[in-house]
Amino acid sequence: MTARPLHEGAELLFTGDIFCDVVFAGVDVPDVGAEVYADAFTITPGGAANRAVAAARAGAHTLLLSQLGDDPLGTHIRSTLEGEPNLDTRLLQRVPGHQSPVTVSLTTADDRSFITYQERLGRLEVPDDLGAVAAVHVGVADDLPEWVAGLRRAGTTVVGGVGWDHTGEWSAEVLDRLGEVDVFVPNDAEAMRYTRTDDAVAAAKALAERVPLAVVTRGPRGVVAVDSAAGRVVEVPTPQVAVVDPTGAGDVFVATFMAAGLRGWDLPDRLRFAALSASLSVTGLGGAASAPRPADLLAFVERHRPEGDWSFLDRLPETAAL
């Protein structure tokens, strides 16, 4: 893409680790000493790249702040990302001699297993000459970098996310960090464990006591959001599709939800747009590789006629050229 000057900022900024995802589909973990054959295979960017690619394909000018090695896998992933329209990769640092993170995913429509290798690097820093950013996505599992507060003071909406806690502690410190973000988007399993509730709606309401907008995804069961400022609870369904690979669906949801926030749509339409985008992403392999474009959304709605008014999709930036 043709990059605009860095001091002009971006609509969306995504940070975090990028993985080279090696995906084998239609296969379970083999028994020790056994060999199994997959039905399909792909190599695709993963991790933070899932979110960045999904946002860029949704029409948002997107910056990606991350690091990759100069190894063959990292070089391939960088080349793939540089080919995405709307995705600015100038903050994607090349680290000589570093092995880029790699994940092997064995996936079926119902379950996934992963093997990951990662060499940790230092914290990411935003350049001083970065201009205005409308919204940024950051992880809240650990302390937030100091630059996040600086962006927030300058008017950036801070969207927080969190992954599965493999320690099983589900520390209350994560909830304490919600005071540093404006929107929090976990899935229902994460939300219920952190809030010690047994229902996604109850979890969303508990989270909304700490953050202005809590959005809890429920996979095929839809999405619930609680806007604490407006005292409003919104639930939307998830369009039903044939699942091929659920990897990255949550990333696609949060990225397209953020992109929809740039369009002036109301909360229900933003949720429906993101839910539709996430649904279509699971019909192919990999999160970034299967992130939909506006034409994909329009074609699905035209073909399947899901319940509701989808006319807001006609106001997507690229649709005029379709």
Side-chain angles (χ1 to χ4, degrees):
M1 64 167 290
T2 301
R4 62 188 186 186
L6 193 60
H7 69 268
E8 292 185 7
E11 290 182 312
L12 301 180
L13 170 64
F14 293 92
T15 72
D17 296 327
I18 295 175
F19 293 79
C20 175
D21 283 355
V22 181
V23 184
F24 294 86
V27 61
D28 293 316
V29 178
D31 295 331
V32 175
E35 180 179 18
V36 294
Y37 284 82
D39 295 332
F41 163 82
T42 192
I43 297 178
T44 176
N50 289 336
R51 299 184 287 273
V53 170
R57 290 185 180 181
H61 177 263
T62 303
L63 271 171
L64 176 58
L65 173 63
S66 190
Q67 299 164 309
L68 283 171
D70 58 358
D71 59 289
L73 292 178
T75 300
H76 172 73
I77 294 302
R78 173 183 286 275
S79 177
T80 300
L81 294 173
E82 288 176 344
E84 285 287 339
N86 294 325
L87 181 55
D88 191 331
T89 58
R90 280 177 297 171
L91 299 184
L92 179 52
Q93 305 162 18
R94 178 181 278 107
V95 183
H98 175 67
Q99 170 61 58
S100 301
V102 58
T103 292
V104 174
S105 172
L106 306 181
T107 181
T108 67
D110 302 313
D111 206 354
R112 297 165 291 166
S113 299
F114 304 98
I115 302 173
T116 295
Y117 178 79
Q118 182 178 18
E119 299 173 356
R120 299 287 181 179
L121 292 171
R123 277 208 161 190
L124 298 164
E125 297 293 335
V126 168
D128 294 335
D129 58 346
L130 179 64
V133 174
V136 61
H137 184 275
V138 295
V140 299
D142 299 304
D143 292 338
L144 274 60
E146 293 183 4
W147 55 259
V148 175
L151 286 179
R152 195 182 189 200
R153 287 192 297 270
T156 300
T157 298
V158 179
V159 181
V162 69
W164 185 260
D165 183 358
H166 67 277
T167 70
E169 294 180 2
W170 304 100
S171 172
E173 292 181 0
V174 170
L175 298 182
D176 294 338
R177 294 187 195 105
L178 297 188
E180 302 176 55
V181 305
D182 304 291
V183 185
F184 183 48
V185 189
N187 64 34
D188 52 354
E190 296 157 351
M192 289 187 289
R193 281 168 173 80
Y194 276 116
T195 59
R196 275 61 175 177
T197 58
D198 57 6
D199 173 79
V201 176
K205 290 179 178 178
L207 293 171
E209 296 176 2
R210 296 173 176 265
V211 65
L213 177 61
V215 180
V216 177
T217 62
R218 299 181 289 191
R221 298 180 300 281
V223 186
V224 56
V226 179
D227 182 342
S228 58
R232 185 184 187 193
V233 178
V234 178
E235 295 188 62
V236 302
T238 296
Q240 300 303 298
V241 297
V243 177
V244 173
D245 177 16
T247 303
D251 292 327
V252 172
F253 178 92
V254 71
T256 53
F257 180 74
M258 291 169 64
L262 304 169
R263 310 304 169 209
W265 298 341
D266 63 16
L267 180 57
D269 283 348
R270 291 167 62 194
L271 294 170
R272 292 169 69 216
F273 175 74
L276 175 61
S277 298
S279 288
L280 292 193
S281 76
V282 306
T283 62
L285 296 184
S290 298
R293 297 174 174 86
D296 301 318
L297 304 181
L298 290 171
F300 180 87
V301 170
E302 177 66 24
R303 186 166 59 250
H304 296 283
R305 304 288 183 180
E307 183 179 352
D309 180 6
W310 295 91
S311 60
F312 66 91
L313 291 178
D314 295 331
R315 303 195 294 276
L316 280 170
E318 294 97 332
T319 56
L322 297 178

